[in-house]
Amino acid sequence: MAYLRDCWYPAAWFDEVDEAPFARTLLDEPIVIFRAPDGAAVALADRCCHRSLPLSMGRVEGGELQCGYHGLTFDRTGACTAVPGQSNIPPGAGVRAYPVIERWGWIWLWMGEPSGADPAEVPDFHWLDDPAWVGGTGRLHLAANYQNIIDNLTDHTHLQFVHQRTLGSSDVSDATVESKRIGDDLQIERWLINQPPPPLYAGSGGMSGNVDRWMNCRLSPAANFVLDIGCAPTGTGAPQGDRNRGIELKSLHVLSPENVGSTHYFWGFVRNFATKDTALTAQIDAEAKATFEEDVVVLEAQQRVIDESSGASTIDRQADAPPLLARRIMRDLIDRERRAS
Amino acid sequence: MAYLRDCWYPAAWFDEVDEAPFARTLLDEPIVIFRAPDGAAVALADRCCHRSLPLSMGRVEGGELQCGYHGLTFDRTGACTAVPGQSNIPPGAGVRAYPVIERWGWIWLWMGEPSGADPAEVPDFHWLDDPAWVGGTGRLHLAANYQNIIDNLTDHTHLQFVHQRTLGSSDVSDATVESKRIGDDLQIERWLINQPPPPLYAGSGGMSGNVDRWMNCRLSPAANFVLDIGCAPTGTGAPQGDRNRGIELKSLHVLSPENVGSTHYFWGFVRNFATKDTALTAQIDAEAKATFEEDVVVLEAQQRVIDESSGASTIDRQADAPPLLARRIMRDLIDRERRAS
Amino acid sequence: MAYLRDCWYPAAWFDEVDEAPFARTLLDEPIVIFRAPDGAAVALADRCCHRSLPLSMGRVEGGELQCGYHGLTFDRTGACTAVPGQSNIPPGAGVRAYPVIERWGWIWLWMGEPSGADPAEVPDFHWLDDPAWVGGTGRLHLAANYQNIIDNLTDHTHLQFVHQRTLGSSDVSDATVESKRIGDDLQIERWLINQPPPPLYAGSGGMSGNVDRWMNCRLSPAANFVLDIGCAPTGTGAPQGDRNRGIELKSLHVLSPENVGSTHYFWGFVRNFATKDTALTAQIDAEAKATFEEDVVVLEAQQRVIDESSGASTIDRQADAPPLLARRIMRDLIDRERRAS
């Protein structure tokens, strides 16, 4: 399967990785991650170049990873630094090293040519780091292709069918939707103007009168999805860009394909109001997890049918415009990478 | 794999299906079955034409099936009647509908071109409906190709090896066997003339003197098998067709291939004597199930070997004439269908 | 996968097989083994030539194996001797019989053309039969290709990485290693001259002064591996071939490929000193099993990576010379068989 490679993918949360080797597969590539003595995360191909043992079965000593079979040792660049029993290093010895950035709580790996890795291209998820924002985070492993998950994220019309029990019959479906391509991003804007606030906004959010509500999505390649939701009292200028009087939530979703049929799904759900209310945090977190479980059931069933009926035709609806645009952007970017290489 | 398609296959017993969507695969095709408000069973392809979710994960409302992902709705003809969020139906929206007949306790589906579906072609299993006949019924799911099960049904010589513990050393093996093709049916006749009755016939059957016994099989396409057994006092004309003084049992077996290596097996075992004797019914039922379990072990082991040794040669015996004839008829019918299409 | 076929492979320990049919797969071939009334082991292809049921589901009567489906019966040559219901035997009826030799506790099968089977070619493992030698034996089923296990056996440099906890930091790695091809065998010799004896040799072995130690391997086709270890007081001529004053252990390993990714592994570990010391036997046995478990973890993980990364390149070390020589010999022998056939 073709993946977009010249971009950063999160491989793990900070606290999943310590000095012990940790195995995770991204884009069909088994990778071993560990922390060097200076605390920096190191990511290498998880296969010894000698006899193919997973390096994640080895051990880290002095910031280098020693294979658990014959002791070949690799530094953080993937270079082989020692072959026990001989003084020279055989030509070709070494494993691929992946550029690593740790940011916003995630260990990001650059899956393309290392020379192209630019730390400035790590997508912005600063809300996960900013004390003005509080909430929960998590990780899922889904037996579903990442593109089908993007379909799910970029099309809110599934809410009333998949999430009847959790999100209920949302009035979101009445909102005006506008989706457009901005560079390589997909932007979807939905506004409800001059409406009574829903319970969360009226209660914890302290909104007593009518509000202007927004539910905006931004998808950046490969699969960085920010759902920006909130409201402000009507007439305070939110639609024009002034959110000073508003309250906001960010529902953050980042996907790292494991392989064609499975995906690592990293998420956070944070807000900038009622930030001391730990009961509210726990409640939102529980609701988010219940909602995810409903999506998981659907996405994994869909994947099984797709696997068994490959090539069967499908039809599209008008509401598929945003996910279809997301797929077109992804195809464009993968094609661009192919032509460049 | 090539299946015979222009025929009725049972998909389920009446009581397996109610208004909730029910999933079953026949001839490699996932199918969803449910009952409309008028009680009629409806059978549709179990894959939404939009994003491939199994429709059996959806819900039935007003006799229509609504997909559990985005709410596309299908009527009993498979036509798409609603796409939430838009007023028109996209061209090509719809799923395959299977002609359905409910008869003899089974929900039969026509797996060929719907225009060819003729209710008159549903095979006769009226004994399951007729109060003059009593007995037990059941369903098995076997990890075995249906044709190997037909081999098993049409060749009684396995009884003394597979069913030693249950059916014992049957005197059936001494019976005269005659098998012939009648149209597209296979008819196998076995008679034992002027013999003492076996215990069941002498006891519950009330046969005190010598009897003429018959054990006749009829296999009709695709896989409808009636074992017609019984006896009458010798000299009362049973061999000539007069069963007035006789007692009869019908062992009924119908197979619906799930895929090349697995089969839905529907059965009934009924009699027209000692019909009030519920203890006898329970005993015959228990014996039938024990016998089936012996066949399941053999048929599933055989399938595993066939899967692992594909193409390995086999030899035939004289006693294989009936099953070989059954296979030849099936090949003829499948070829005929191919040429016709 | 190509295997060396013209050789004897152990299929089972004596005590695994009695008169009941016993199933085991060697070189991708399912085989059924049983004992005839005279006690001789018989090995036949485990698939009835009639309808493919595993013959291991049948029963042995009078030294012949009767299929559990229709009763076809096979003698120890694989010839079909009875087809119930008919007096003649159909042409082609019969199954492959494998030449069998029972020796050293193992049931050996000749996997090539039967005419080539020479009992004199059964490898020598007389230590398992000789009361002067005592110790433990066992069998493992590994999800690993046999050639990778031979790599493991013929390269001692993995000891300090895989067996740190069990064998400890062995001084063996300092030994002089010499490997060479002798006919179709691989011989690896390692000597430590005039050294203090390790604890086992000093204690149970009764060696008080310095010793000359040897650790020699011999690999004979296909996969018969003898590790010959021991020591003698320095100056008593062991390096020149006189072991009269020495003590010896034999670590015996024989592999029978099940298929490309799994192997039956038969082993024995015996010694010719302190033979009455049952506590020592139990201790050595427990250590051997703990050591095997460490190898199993590595070999099965390696196999999984190889399966998932087929074709990925590898590099070799100087210490790989013996296993590479073992692989070259195996390739030569398989090529030779191919040309001959």
Side-chain angles (χ1 to χ4, degrees):
Chain A
M1 181 183 176
Y3 301 103
L4 193 64
R5 305 198 65 90
D6 288 338
C7 59
W8 297 97
Y9 287 97
W13 286 98
F14 281 4
D15 60 7
E16 289 188 273
V17 178
D18 56 24
E19 280 151 49
F22 170 90
R24 184 149 286 163
T25 294
L26 259 63
L27 281 57
D28 293 324
E29 298 181 8
I31 298 169
V32 53
I33 311 175
F34 62 93
R35 291 195 184 282
D38 62 4
V42 176
L44 304 176
D46 192 16
R47 172 185 169 274
C48 184
C49 59
H50 172 231
R51 286 295 175 268
S52 300
L53 197 74
L55 289 174
S56 53
M57 291 178 69
R59 58 179 186 169
V60 176
E61 286 217 357
E64 300 195 332
L65 182 52
Q66 185 186 59
C67 180
Y69 200 169
H70 303 95
L72 275 74
T73 304
F74 304 90
D75 69 15
R76 65 178 71 191
T77 71
C80 181
T81 57
V83 176
Q86 68 188 69
S87 52
N88 68 320
I89 305 296
V95 296
R96 177 173 179 176
Y98 296 84
V100 180
I101 295 278
E102 298 196 62
R103 199 170 291 170
W104 326 127
W106 286 318
I107 298 173
W108 299 81
L109 305 188
W110 181 264
M111 297 301 291
E113 274 306 299
S115 59
D118 179 356
E121 290 185 23
V122 174
D124 179 18
F125 287 92
H126 73 272
W127 309 280
L128 292 171
D129 249 8
D130 183 340
W133 295 79
V134 302
T137 60
R139 185 178 62 82
L140 298 167
H141 181 262
L142 264 78
N145 179 274
Y146 76 102
Q147 197 75 57
N148 294 329
I149 305 174
I150 293 178
D151 284 355
N152 180 286
L153 288 167
T154 55
D155 172 18
H156 70 287
T157 67
H158 76 280
L159 268 59
Q160 67 177 114
F161 302 101
V162 177
H163 303 301
Q164 273 178 330
R165 281 175 309 168
T166 50
L167 303 181
S169 57
S170 171
D171 50 4
V172 171
S173 51
D174 300 326
T176 308
V177 176
E178 194 182 344
S179 65
K180 56 186 170 190
R181 179 170 184 165
I182 301 175
D184 292 335
D185 286 8
L186 170 68
Q187 176 83 14
I188 308 169
E189 302 212 350
R190 283 171 290 171
W191 285 90
L192 286 167
I193 302 298
N194 198 10
Q195 303 276 331
L200 174 65
Y201 295 172
S204 302
M207 295 284 154
S208 49
N210 272 12
V211 296
D212 297 341
R213 289 170 61 189
W214 61 90
M215 293 136 292
N216 300 332
C217 308
R218 183 130 187 163
L219 173 70
S220 311
N224 303 287
F225 183 88
V226 177
L227 174 60
D228 160 43
I229 52 185
C231 72
T234 298
T236 61
Q240 293 74 39
D242 180 358
R243 294 183 176 183
N244 261 325
R245 302 274 305 280
I247 55 176
E248 300 178 68
L249 299 99
K250 303 284 180 181
S251 182
L252 311 169
H253 309 253
V254 188
L255 309 179
S256 292
E258 182 178 54
N259 57 47
V260 65
S262 70
T263 301
H264 301 291
Y265 189 133
F266 300 88
W267 63 269
F269 197 4
V270 295
R271 68 186 188 279
N272 70 356
F273 63 93
T275 56
K276 310 286 192 213
D277 188 345
T278 53
L280 179 62
T281 300
Q283 180 197 330
I284 292 178
D285 197 58
E287 288 169 359
K289 284 173 178 162
T291 305
F292 281 135
E293 284 187 20
E294 292 172 328
D295 283 316
V296 168
V297 169
V298 164
L299 288 162
E300 296 192 341
Q302 179 192 30
Q303 186 68 42
R304 285 192 296 273
V305 175
I306 290 173
D307 288 345
E308 291 163 7
S309 64
S310 67
S313 65
T314 55
I315 59 116
D316 299 319
R317 301 163 306 149
Q318 291 159 12
D320 294 317
L324 289 173
L325 180 51
R327 284 179 178 268
R328 188 167 343 127
I329 294 173
M330 182 62 78
R331 267 200 312 276
D332 288 350
L333 296 176
I334 290 173
D335 284 349
R336 191 198 300 166
E337 271 191 18
R338 272 196 184 137
R339 283 191 306 268
S341 68
Chain B
M1 181 184 176
Y3 301 104
L4 192 65
R5 305 199 65 90
D6 287 338
C7 57
W8 296 97
Y9 288 97
W13 286 98
F14 281 4
D15 61 6
E16 289 189 273
V17 178
D18 55 24
E19 281 151 47
F22 170 89
R24 183 149 286 163
T25 294
L26 260 62
L27 280 56
D28 293 323
E29 299 182 7
I31 298 169
V32 53
I33 311 174
F34 60 94
R35 290 194 184 282
D38 61 4
V42 177
L44 303 176
D46 192 14
R47 171 186 170 274
C48 185
C49 59
H50 172 230
R51 287 295 174 265
S52 299
L53 197 73
L55 290 174
S56 53
M57 291 177 70
R59 59 179 185 169
V60 176
E61 286 216 357
E64 299 196 331
L65 181 52
Q66 185 185 59
C67 179
Y69 201 169
H70 303 94
L72 275 74
T73 303
F74 304 90
D75 69 14
R76 65 178 71 190
T77 72
C80 182
T81 57
V83 177
Q86 67 189 68
S87 52
N88 67 321
I89 305 297
V95 296
R96 176 173 180 176
Y98 296 84
V100 180
I101 295 277
E102 299 196 62
R103 198 170 292 169
W104 326 127
W106 287 318
I107 298 173
W108 299 82
L109 306 188
W110 181 265
M111 298 300 293
E113 275 306 298
S115 60
D118 179 356
E121 290 185 22
V122 174
D124 178 18
F125 287 92
H126 72 274
W127 309 280
L128 292 171
D129 249 8
D130 183 341
W133 295 79
V134 302
T137 61
R139 186 178 62 80
L140 298 167
H141 181 262
L142 265 77
N145 179 274
Y146 76 102
Q147 198 75 58
N148 295 327
I149 305 174
I150 293 177
D151 285 355
N152 180 286
L153 287 167
T154 54
D155 172 19
H156 70 287
T157 67
H158 75 281
L159 267 60
Q160 67 176 114
F161 302 101
V162 176
H163 304 302
Q164 273 178 332
R165 279 175 309 168
T166 50
L167 302 182
S169 57
S170 171
D171 51 4
V172 172
S173 50
D174 299 326
T176 307
V177 177
E178 192 182 345
S179 65
K180 56 186 168 188
R181 181 171 183 165
I182 302 175
D184 292 335
D185 286 9
L186 170 67
Q187 176 83 14
I188 308 169
E189 303 212 351
R190 284 171 288 173
W191 285 89
L192 285 167
I193 302 297
N194 198 9
Q195 303 278 331
L200 173 66
Y201 295 171
S204 303
M207 294 286 154
S208 50
N210 271 12
V211 294
D212 297 341
R213 290 170 61 191
W214 61 89
M215 293 138 292
N216 299 332
C217 307
R218 183 131 187 162
L219 174 70
S220 310
N224 304 286
F225 183 88
V226 176
L227 174 60
D228 160 43
I229 52 187
C231 71
T234 297
T236 61
Q240 291 75 39
D242 181 359
R243 293 184 178 182
N244 262 326
R245 302 274 306 279
I247 55 175
E248 300 178 65
L249 298 100
K250 304 283 180 181
S251 182
L252 310 169
H253 310 253
V254 188
L255 310 179
S256 292
E258 181 179 55
N259 57 48
V260 64
S262 70
T263 301
H264 302 291
Y265 189 134
F266 301 87
W267 63 270
F269 196 4
V270 295
R271 69 188 188 279
N272 71 354
F273 61 94
T275 56
K276 311 286 192 211
D277 187 346
T278 54
L280 178 63
T281 300
Q283 180 196 329
I284 292 177
D285 198 58
E287 287 170 359
K289 284 173 178 163
T291 304
F292 281 134
E293 285 187 20
E294 292 172 329
D295 283 317
V296 168
V297 169
V298 163
L299 288 162
E300 296 193 340
Q302 177 193 31
Q303 187 66 42
R304 286 193 295 273
V305 175
I306 290 173
D307 288 344
E308 291 163 8
S309 64
S310 66
S313 65
T314 55
I315 60 115
D316 300 319
R317 301 163 305 149
Q318 291 160 12
D320 293 316
L324 290 172
L325 180 53
R327 285 179 177 267
R328 189 168 339 128
I329 293 173
M330 182 64 76
R331 267 200 313 276
D332 288 351
L333 296 176
I334 291 174
D335 284 350
R336 189 198 302 167
E337 270 191 19
R338 272 196 184 136
R339 283 190 306 269
S341 70
Chain C
M1 181 184 176
Y3 301 103
L4 192 64
R5 304 198 65 90
D6 288 337
C7 58
W8 296 97
Y9 288 97
W13 286 98
F14 280 4
D15 61 6
E16 289 188 273
V17 178
D18 55 25
E19 279 152 48
F22 170 89
R24 183 149 284 163
T25 294
L26 259 62
L27 282 56
D28 293 324
E29 299 181 8
I31 298 169
V32 54
I33 311 175
F34 61 93
R35 290 195 184 282
D38 61 5
V42 176
L44 304 177
D46 192 14
R47 171 186 170 274
C48 184
C49 59
H50 173 230
R51 286 296 175 263
S52 300
L53 197 75
L55 290 174
S56 54
M57 291 177 69
R59 58 179 186 170
V60 176
E61 287 215 358
E64 300 196 331
L65 182 53
Q66 184 186 59
C67 179
Y69 201 169
H70 303 94
L72 275 74
T73 303
F74 304 90
D75 69 15
R76 67 178 70 191
T77 71
C80 182
T81 57
V83 176
Q86 67 189 67
S87 52
N88 67 320
I89 305 296
V95 296
R96 176 173 180 176
Y98 296 84
V100 180
I101 295 277
E102 299 196 62
R103 197 171 292 170
W104 326 127
W106 286 319
I107 297 173
W108 299 81
L109 305 187
W110 180 265
M111 298 299 293
E113 275 305 300
S115 60
D118 179 357
E121 289 185 23
V122 174
D124 179 18
F125 287 92
H126 72 273
W127 309 280
L128 293 171
D129 249 8
D130 183 341
W133 295 79
V134 301
T137 60
R139 186 178 62 81
L140 299 167
H141 181 263
L142 265 76
N145 178 274
Y146 76 102
Q147 197 75 58
N148 294 328
I149 305 174
I150 293 178
D151 284 355
N152 180 285
L153 288 167
T154 55
D155 172 18
H156 70 288
T157 67
H158 76 280
L159 268 60
Q160 68 177 113
F161 301 101
V162 176
H163 304 302
Q164 273 178 331
R165 280 175 309 168
T166 48
L167 302 182
S169 57
S170 171
D171 51 4
V172 172
S173 51
D174 299 326
T176 307
V177 176
E178 192 182 345
S179 65
K180 57 186 168 189
R181 180 170 183 166
I182 301 175
D184 292 335
D185 286 7
L186 170 67
Q187 175 83 15
I188 307 169
E189 302 212 352
R190 284 171 289 172
W191 284 89
L192 286 167
I193 302 298
N194 198 8
Q195 304 276 332
L200 173 64
Y201 295 171
S204 301
M207 293 285 155
S208 50
N210 271 11
V211 295
D212 297 341
R213 289 171 62 191
W214 61 90
M215 291 137 293
N216 300 332
C217 307
R218 183 129 187 164
L219 174 70
S220 310
N224 303 287
F225 184 88
V226 177
L227 175 59
D228 160 42
I229 52 187
C231 72
T234 297
T236 60
Q240 292 75 39
D242 180 359
R243 294 183 177 183
N244 261 327
R245 301 273 307 278
I247 56 176
E248 299 178 66
L249 299 100
K250 304 284 180 180
S251 182
L252 310 169
H253 309 253
V254 187
L255 310 179
S256 292
E258 181 178 56
N259 57 48
V260 65
S262 70
T263 301
H264 302 291
Y265 189 134
F266 300 87
W267 63 269
F269 197 3
V270 295
R271 67 186 188 279
N272 70 355
F273 61 93
T275 55
K276 312 283 192 212
D277 187 345
T278 54
L280 178 62
T281 300
Q283 180 197 329
I284 291 177
D285 197 58
E287 287 169 0
K289 284 173 178 163
T291 304
F292 282 134
E293 285 187 19
E294 292 172 329
D295 283 316
V296 167
V297 169
V298 163
L299 287 162
E300 296 192 341
Q302 179 194 29
Q303 186 67 42
R304 285 192 296 273
V305 175
I306 289 173
D307 288 344
E308 291 163 8
S309 64
S310 68
S313 66
T314 55
I315 59 117
D316 299 319
R317 302 163 305 148
Q318 292 160 10
D320 293 317
L324 290 173
L325 180 51
R327 284 179 178 267
R328 189 168 339 129
I329 294 173
M330 183 61 78
R331 267 200 313 277
D332 288 351
L333 296 177
I334 291 174
D335 284 350
R336 190 197 301 167
E337 271 191 17
R338 273 196 184 135
R339 284 191 306 267
S341 69

